[in-house]
Amino acid sequence: MDREMKIRECVAYFKGTPGFDRLLGEMRKKVRSYGRVGGTVVLKELSSEERQSIESLFGESLTSEGQPVSIPLKRVEEALQRTKFAGVSLKELLEGYFDEELISNKEMKQRRSELRREESKRLDAEVDRVFGRLNELPEGGHIRLAVLAMDVFGDPHALDAGTVFGDRLVERLYEREFENGIRAERKRTAKDRLEVLLRAGIRPDDISSFVTLYGIVLWDEAGEHPAYRVHVDRGDIFLVSLSNLSDIVRVVSRKKQVYVIENQMVFSELCERCPGASLVCTSGQPSVAALLVLDLLCREECEIYYSGDTDPEGIQIADRLVRRSNGRIRPWHMGVEDYEASLSSKVIREERRLHRMDGITDVGLTEVCERIRKSGRVGYQEALLEVMAGEISAPGTKPISRSAPS
């Protein structure tokens, strides 16, 4: 009989005979672990079907019912050679039964590691084409992400977040910046991804990222931007997208103090109560557009104050802005007294939310963090509207920053 045919018949017999599946599965694990046919498998609580099939293979009775059965793989190999399938090895039977090449776990890891290296090389070769296209841009030039992807891959979505090429491109950009000492650490937030792309001259989605401004003047290379000047003169609240900011080189406030507000309603109320003030609304977590505006404001001779809800998320935003601006942005009305004055009945029930305050570094903010942990409640900005509006409106009054920069 042809050897390959004998192996197929052997496999067909064991697949067609009930009671062998668990035994073969355990032996497969042993071969992978040892890298050879060896060792012993232990089967507990054998079914009558399993007992009958294994006893038929060995030609003798097993231990008494209810007792675990120890079966050396060598014994199965020897029993197999006494059947009509003599010449078929146990390894060949297992490979045919599970339709796979049976290799050791160590070799499997080595193969997977090699495959990952090969895949990494392939991805890098493709991403090198992206860098080649970027090198063709004029100094200070840019290209939209979808256009870049279409140029290089013929697919406008090939560099989207979550794709192998898109994620590898961002990883390479992080590596390049880290090696050049541009970044002290490599993060993986969506905002960091947008920022690293922008610094490389790649424009991702720049419409959905926006910031709301009041009393803030924008400048391009030609000088004060006339469109935004009209908004400021009229006392309008206006939205600026990341796309609008592409040619902006300066962001200037009308007043010495700029107030950055987390909450939209509080922002709108302050704009209404304090005409002529300079305010920025982040609408929660600052977008890339908001961060860009704040970065440009930090270059100007103005004082910048951030105020948000005194809850874990608001504290986290404040701390990040303090660190990002090297202390130029200061927390405003986010100290212990303000927290006590703004306490709500809302309880912070999720422990994971409280853990968000674990990495806070600003001295004043760490104090309020301790109070939040003890109280377990949220402090809302709305309760401080009167005092905030009073400070903004009072001529010559210096805002009270209840959290000292670290």
Side-chain angles (χ1 to χ4, degrees), residues 38-84:
T40 299
V41 298
V42 178
L43 300 180
K44 298 179 180 179
E45 300 179 355
L46 282 178
S47 68
S48 58
E49 200 172 60
E50 288 175 322
R51 179 175 290 275
Q52 182 179 346
S53 295
I54 296 171
E55 287 180 344
S56 174
L57 175 64
F58 289 154
E60 58 183 71
S61 297
L62 300 172
T63 58
S64 54
E65 290 191 23
Q67 296 297 313
V69 178
S70 297
I71 304 175
L73 270 67
K74 287 294 185 183
R75 185 182 178 191
V76 178
E77 179 87 83
E78 291 166 359
L80 183 62
Q81 301 312 311
R82 293 194 297 268
T83 68
K84 63 179 181 178

Side-chain angles (χ1 to χ4, degrees), residues 139-285:
E139 187 175 351
H142 64 265
I143 185 170
R144 295 195 182 277
L145 184 67
V147 174
L148 177 62
M150 190 68 191
D151 284 355
V152 176
F153 300 103
D155 176 1
H157 300 291
L159 293 173
D160 287 355
T163 64
V164 289
F165 295 130
D167 290 348
R168 186 57 183 147
L169 170 63
V170 170
E171 181 67 26
R172 288 275 298 276
L173 290 172
Y174 277 127
E175 289 172 359
R176 186 172 70 175
E177 290 196 346
F178 191 72
E179 288 167 3
N180 293 333
I182 297 175
R183 296 171 63 87
E185 57 183 336
R186 287 176 283 183
K187 300 180 181 178
R188 292 295 180 272
T189 66
K191 291 184 180 66
D192 283 322
R193 181 180 188 277
L194 287 173
E195 289 186 274
V196 79
L197 288 171
L198 287 170
R199 287 194 293 271
I202 305 169
R203 284 194 185 173
D205 168 23
D206 51 8
I207 299 298
S208 60
S209 178
F210 63 87
V211 61
T212 310
L213 305 177
Y214 177 76
I216 302 289
V217 181
L218 307 182
W219 290 51
D220 59 17
E221 292 288 356
E224 194 173 316
H225 199 295
Y228 300 114
R229 184 69 205 190
V230 171
H231 284 307
V232 174
D233 289 341
R234 285 168 48 89
D236 294 337
I237 294 173
F238 58 99
L239 271 65
V240 180
S241 71
L242 189 58
S243 177
N244 298 141
L245 291 168
S246 60
D247 297 320
I248 298 302
V249 295
R250 287 187 69 195
V251 176
V252 182
S253 63
R254 267 188 163 179
K255 301 289 185 179
K256 184 179 180 181
Q257 289 88 20
V258 179
Y259 299 91
V260 184
I261 309 298
E262 175 192 355
N263 183 287
Q264 298 99 314
M265 192 285 293
V266 174
F267 169 82
S268 297
E269 188 71 15
L270 290 175
C271 291
E272 199 171 292
R273 295 191 189 192
C274 311
S278 295
L279 295 108
V280 175
C281 183
T282 64
S283 302
Q285 289 285 348

Side-chain angles (χ1 to χ4, degrees), residues 14-15 17 19-34 36 38 40-43 46 50 54 71 73 76 90-91 93-100 102-103 105:
F14 278 89
K15 281 188 174 183
T17 306
F20 282 118
D21 194 63
R22 187 153 65 115
L23 172 62
L24 295 177
E26 291 301 315
M27 290 194 296
R28 172 198 193 195
K29 293 177 187 176
K30 280 293 177 188
V31 173
R32 279 182 170 174
S33 176
Y34 283 44
R36 57 182 174 78
T40 299
V41 298
V42 178
L43 300 180
L46 282 178
E50 288 175 322
I54 296 171
I71 304 175
L73 270 67
V76 178
L90 178 56
K91 186 170 183 287
L93 166 59
L94 292 172
E95 288 181 335
Y97 191 89
F98 293 105
D99 194 23
E100 65 181 14
L102 206 54
I103 59 176
N105 291 332

